[in-house]
Amino acid sequence: MASEHDLGGRWDIAIVGGGSAGLPAAIFAARRGARVLLLEYADQLGGSLWVATGQMSAAGTRLQRERGIEDSAELHYEDVMRISRGTANPDIVRLAVENAAETFDWLMDEGFEPLPEHPVTGFGHEAYRLPRYYWGAEGGISVKDVLIPIVDRLVAEGKLTVALRHEVTGLTTDNLGAVTGLVARDADGDTHRISAAAVLLTCGGYAGNPEMFEQRNGYPQYNAAPYQWSRGAGLMLGESVGGYARGEENLFVNFGTLFDTDDFPARMTGRIEHFPERRKPWEIYVNSNGARFVREDVESVDAREMALLFQPKNRYWIVFDDAILNEAPPMIVGWSRDDIRAAFDRGGPAFLCADSIEALAAKAGIDASGLETSVAGFNYGVLTGNDFFGRQHAPLPIAKGPFYAIRMQASSISSAIGLAVDARLRVIRHDGSAIPNLYAAGEILGSSQTMGKAACGGMMVTPAMTFGRLLGEAMIPMGEPA
């Protein structure tokens, strides 16, 4: 950790946050010869890479060419805008995809190893039209383990200063509103006023702050998986000097998480296999009104997620009977039928069982009449082959007790709302003017900008690294170090 003396003088760039955007920014700015200070609130670098899946997407990479895949940034851009239904920020997406290949090739040159079968078209999200989707064996850890040793070498060579356990509590400005530096508090509680020609905010989103998450998103943070230091500090710092948040229109949730508790935020109990290409559904999905709301075997991940977004409390129940439990492949990844039965025997809030549909509805808090109607309608579709939703796979009716329901809760591990920036990644005011000397990159921009109202594979980590690289390499104007 840097000493108080190390923080003195004027820095060319002070970077707030040592994660997927801050690390590349520090690396490239230091290699450029700038005097760089990297401040991190936690006691270690890496940010959300410690918990992220580390999925990346880039078009026109060397690896693609070696494997005979013809791809381009323009095709990548078209895919992102298609998957997001035009809701992603076109300027931000273009900046990301037009520079992603160089970022990915650099990461591989530094030692990153994607999985042997990569690139692929998709996994867990709406698929790309071409294979441009990559990640390492250890997820985000695979990326972190490439970046941090580079930072360590630069620190050892005296080309970069890193201050861990330093909380940035404010930005300083001149009388014209230009950012002139920041105020940081170290682990001993001492305050430091730091002068910098430019400040780069790369300190993540707010998904790890349940209070801010609910305030910004309008619904609770159910999931305890987000990085614990994603507290929204950078968003508040930017707003404190005239910046503003955007992206509320692109709030987005996944297709349900299994939490066997009512004490939220919570850790996932198990992972439901709801991808028809891997396990075709035998069960039905109903909302609190007892109504089916989506064709359970629809192949589009986005279609399921969008349907859930409009259900009460973004919650649904997977309903089936004993015959389906006995005959269908287990729906919880890594669980046997006996494991699933044991969960129902324990009787947690997510695992409900009853001898009748009416009693099951009462236990789950579902409208009984609606559930009975949905089950009857589904059974008619099984009998006639004419399902109301057009479902194709329905081997058995839900006909004989005991009957079961597994509660699923939509959740989010990323921050949709973020700090507004222009195409040069300068933090901007409501009138569109840039706040001098203040930049931002990474999740602090909000997933709404790089993915829109959807999940676009690799469009969080890759833009973060790419924007950090671009800012450190050239986009932030710097003089030579004193």
Side-chain angles (χ1 to χ4, degrees):
M1 185 175 72
S3 68
E4 181 177 353
H5 176 74
D6 293 326
L7 303 185
R10 182 169 173 80
W11 301 88
D12 290 317
I13 176 172
I15 302 170
V16 185
S20 52
L23 292 173
I27 290 167
F28 280 89
R31 287 178 172 177
R32 184 177 164 190
R35 187 166 188 253
V36 183
L37 172 62
L38 175 60
L39 300 114
E40 170 57 52
Y41 185 33
D43 59 3
Q44 59 187 355
L45 295 174
S48 61
L49 289 172
W50 284 97
V51 299
T53 56
Q55 298 171 355
M56 293 174 281
S57 59
T61 64
R62 186 170 59 244
L63 183 60
Q64 283 181 309
R65 293 193 297 273
E66 290 171 355
R67 299 189 176 177
I69 301 167
E70 295 184 10
D71 199 2
S72 68
E74 185 61 29
L75 292 174
H76 192 181
Y77 173 83
E78 291 174 1
D79 252 359
V80 171
M81 300 310 289
R82 171 185 62 84
I83 293 169
S84 72
R85 300 174 306 283
T87 59
N89 185 314
D91 293 334
I92 298 298
V93 171
R94 277 205 180 276
L95 183 64
V97 301
E98 288 177 356
N99 295 280
E102 186 174 348
T103 300
F104 186 78
D105 288 348
W106 165 73
L107 195 68
M108 287 198 66
D109 288 342
E110 296 289 353
F112 175 75
E113 295 183 7
L115 290 173
E117 65 273 19
H118 285 196
V120 295
T121 57
F123 180 83
H125 303 306
E126 205 76 5
Y128 287 118
R129 290 192 172 111
L130 289 170
R132 65 171 71 96
Y133 197 19
Y134 326 74
W135 58 92
E138 301 298 323
I141 300 292
S142 297
V143 178
K144 173 193 72 68
D145 287 349
V146 172
L147 298 178
I148 290 181
I150 304 173
V151 169
D152 289 342
R153 289 195 297 271
L154 290 168
V155 170
E157 294 167 2
K159 297 178 180 178
L160 172 63
T161 299
V162 174
L164 299 176
R165 300 176 67 191
H166 277 64
E167 178 186 10
V168 176
T169 58
L171 299 175
T172 57
T173 60
D174 63 18
N175 56 7
L176 297 177
V179 170
T180 58
L182 53 84
V183 179
R185 183 169 53 237
D186 64 25
D188 296 323
D190 295 329
T191 297
H192 307 271
R193 295 183 67 86
I194 296 166
S195 175
V199 173
L200 171 57
L201 301 176
T202 58
C203 40
Y206 56 87
N209 183 336
E211 293 77 19
M212 182 180 289
F213 185 95
E214 185 164 4
Q215 177 191 21
R216 298 276 182 178
N217 286 28
Y219 56 86
Q221 172 56 290
Y222 294 101
N223 204 319
Y227 184 57
Q228 63 175 326
W229 300 118
S230 293
R231 310 293 295 175
L235 190 53
M236 292 187 291
L237 287 170
E239 290 175 325
S240 73
V241 293
Y244 73 98
R246 64 183 176 187
E248 297 90 344
E249 71 282 3
N250 283 340
L251 292 175
F252 170 79
V253 294
N254 65 16
F255 191 62
T257 308
L258 175 55
F259 302 116
D260 194 20
T261 180
D262 288 322
D263 185 15
F264 299 108
R267 293 287 175 182
M268 180 174 67
T269 301
R271 181 166 64 85
I272 297 290
E273 187 59 274
H274 56 73
F275 296 97
E277 64 270 25
R278 298 200 288 267
R279 178 194 180 272
K280 294 186 183 299
W282 294 52
E283 309 79 14
I284 61 171
Y285 305 155
V286 302
N287 61 22
S288 59
N289 298 319
R292 292 171 67 195
F293 59 92
V294 69
R295 196 188 97 197
E296 293 86 356
D297 61 355
V298 65
E299 292 182 359
S300 170
V301 182
D302 184 63
R304 294 194 297 272
E305 290 169 336
M306 287 299 101
L308 181 56
L309 192 61
F310 296 99
Q311 305 314 308
K313 295 185 178 180
N314 305 136
R315 183 175 289 182
Y316 70 101
W317 287 259
I318 302 173
V319 176
F320 53 101
D321 68 2
D322 203 53
I324 290 176
L325 179 57
N326 286 329
E327 296 296 327
M331 74 179 78
I332 304 177
V333 177
W335 289 33
S336 67
R337 290 187 184 87
D338 288 341
D339 293 331
I340 296 173
R341 287 188 183 280
F344 282 110
D345 289 341
R346 289 191 297 271
F351 292 90
L352 306 162
C353 177
D355 290 331
S356 69
I357 293 295
E358 182 179 11
L360 183 68
K363 282 190 174 183
I366 300 171
D367 180 79
S369 176
L371 182 57
E372 288 174 336
T373 299
S374 292
V375 170
F378 172 72
N379 291 346
Y380 178 80
V382 174
L383 178 66
T384 64
N386 186 24
D387 182 72
F388 179 77
F389 282 85
R391 175 168 162 169
Q392 300 299 306
H393 185 263
L396 292 175
I398 301 171
K400 186 177 180 181
F403 299 96
Y404 303 95
I406 295 178
R407 187 187 69 188
M408 299 292 290
Q409 176 63 57
S411 67
S412 177
I413 60 173
S414 61
S415 308
I417 297 169
L419 204 56
V421 296
D422 62 15
R424 293 169 58 187
L425 302 175
R426 300 177 299 180
V427 177
I428 58 175
R429 305 179 180 94
H430 276 287
D431 64 5
S433 63
I435 299 172
N437 311 326
L438 184 62
Y439 301 80
E443 191 177 344
I444 192 174
L445 304 186
S447 65
S448 60
Q449 303 307 298
T450 55
M451 301 199 302
K453 197 181 186 74
C456 299
M459 286 301 291
M460 289 292 286
V461 171
T462 320
M465 289 194 300
T466 297
F467 294 163
R469 176 181 69 81
L470 292 173
L471 287 161
E473 192 173 43
M475 286 178 68
I476 295 180
M478 302 178 199
E480 292 299 316

